Amino acid sequence: MVRYDFESLKGKLTREILASRPPTLWKWREMLPVRKAEDCVTLGEWMTPIVDAPKLAAEAGMEEGGALLVKDEGRLPTGSFKARGLVMAVSMAKELGVTRMAMPTNGNAGAAMSAYCSRCGIETYIFAPEDTPDTNIREMALQGANVWRVNGYIDDCGKIVGGGKEEMNWFDTSTLKEPYRIEGKKTMGLELVEQFGWDDLPDVIMYPTGGGTGLIGMWKAFAELKKLGLIKPDTKLPKMVAVQATGCAPMVNAYDAGEEFATRVDGAFTRSAMGIRVPAAVGDFLILRAVRESGGWAVAVTDDAIDEGVEEFAKKEGFLLCPEGAATYAAFKKGLADGKIKKTDRVLLFNCATGLKYPMPPSNNDIDRHEPIDYGEIAKGI
Ligand SMILES: *Cc1c(COP(=O)(O)O)cnc(C)c1O
């Protein structure tokens, strides 16, 4: 973990100073590890908006004071919040003179790494499970990565990266094998605290959990903001909820069993939420610790509930979630049903990637323009 000298920074970094800076991830420079401005490899990491879902909140029976909100990370470079972690890891690699990086990925992390590395001239080797969506594989290749499909899971890909360190002389950028991706993901916590007016954080944060960098990072962010005096010592922190898919829920199993570490899930499966198909996470104990310290919980949702969530958000709110984001919505409904979420809670979901990167249900309605157009038929709708 990166540690900072917050004592000497205390009082110097104020809310006013932060408010005066352009709303990008780099406004938090003093709380980030990159030292030289010229080492920041940016593609425009703009602050992501928090969008509300009033219709679905009303349908769920949310009451006065309560809200259903989505932090939309799909607007970041390469279309996912992996950009936050990788912009930091790659910038630090540049600063430290690394010339070759490798990683296992379920798609989005590799896309972000290849983009930032190509931008600053670092060579990349990426290994992805063979069923990773083609869009992701092609994106990585187009952005200059040496990308390989592997007949296994992300941790099997991780073994290839680890095993090649000596011979290939590459830097292992796997989740939590290096400290900087967490620092980048930490900015989600910093950003949302400022967006919520500093001392009035949401009651519940629902996070689709794979390797857990975001959850761990946000929890670190809140602690650091308290240390710096940027939020009050008694500010109530959100309950952190780790959301997984029923076909791959190692954190949920460990949480339910009261364990400190998680057991690897064999035969892990999710239909579409690849970003959370992580059978074993290096930082399992850190995820579980943050969830428990915050008074949150871990919950698994089905693939059907995920697909329904995508459809409901798209049709009713006009918001195309990624499947992992839809998992948090399914977990929200479950939390309301079993009383863990109150109808007056402000609940923040994470949409971690743009829904446009994922396969969508088909739509096959064709018109032959050479025939008379039957508007009566069109008016019936689809
Ligand atoms: C990586 C990823 C996740 C999981 O994030 P972690 O911080 O690694 O747990 C969730 N959703 C999407 C879309 C992802 O790409």
Side-chain angles (χ1 to χ4, degrees), residues 12 227 247:
K12 295 201 185 96
K227 263 187 220 152

Side-chain angles (χ1 to χ4, degrees), residues 1 3 20 38 76 88 101 114 141 151 180 197 211 214 225 236 238-239 242 253 286 306 331 357 367 369 372 374 380:
M1 291 274 195
R3 300 291 173 207
S20 73
E38 67 261 32
L76 285 160
M88 211 57 61
M101 296 171 87
S114 56
N151 53 348
Y180 304 119
L225 288 170
K236 199 168 142 261
K239 291 178 181 157
N253 297 341
L286 296 171
I306 290 174
K357 286 181 89 167
I367 282 177
R369 70 187 172 89
D374 185 347
K380 283 185 198 154

Side-chain angles (χ1 to χ4, degrees), residues 80-82 107-109 175 181 185 188 207-215 274-276 278 287 322 324-325 351-353 358:
S80 90
F81 69 178
K82 290 295 192 301
N108 289 327
T175 300
R181 287 175 65 180
K185 284 273 195 90
M188 292 191 288
Y207 187 80
T209 305
T213 35
L215 198 150
M274 295 301 172
I276 52 176
V278 179
I287 299 169
C322 63
E324 298 85 349
N351 185 49
C352 310
Y358 294 78

Side-chain angles (χ1 to χ4, degrees), residues 26-37:
W26 296 105
K27 73 187 287 180
W28 305 97
R29 270 295 296 284
E30 290 89 338
M31 301 179 73
L32 298 173
V34 187
R35 303 215 167 181
K36 295 196 225 97

Side-chain angles (χ1 to χ4, degrees), residues 179-228:
Y180 304 119
R181 287 175 65 180
I182 285 204
E183 294 306 300
K185 284 273 195 90
K186 181 178 90 179
T187 59
M188 292 191 288
L190 302 175
E191 210 170 281
L192 75 87
V193 167
E194 191 185 18
Q195 286 174 303
F196 274 85
W198 298 99
D199 288 308
D200 189 26
L201 306 192
D203 300 289
V204 183
I205 290 180
M206 316 215 76
Y207 187 80
T209 305
T213 35
L215 198 150
I216 299 165
M218 280 191 275
W219 199 239
K220 187 173 190 272
F222 301 148
E224 291 182 350
L225 288 170
K226 283 196 176 180
K227 263 187 220 152
L228 267 174

Side-chain angles (χ1 to χ4, degrees), residues 104-121:
T105 183
N106 275 325
N108 289 327
M113 186 166 90
S114 56
Y116 288 111
C117 281
S118 290
R119 191 154 172 93
C120 70

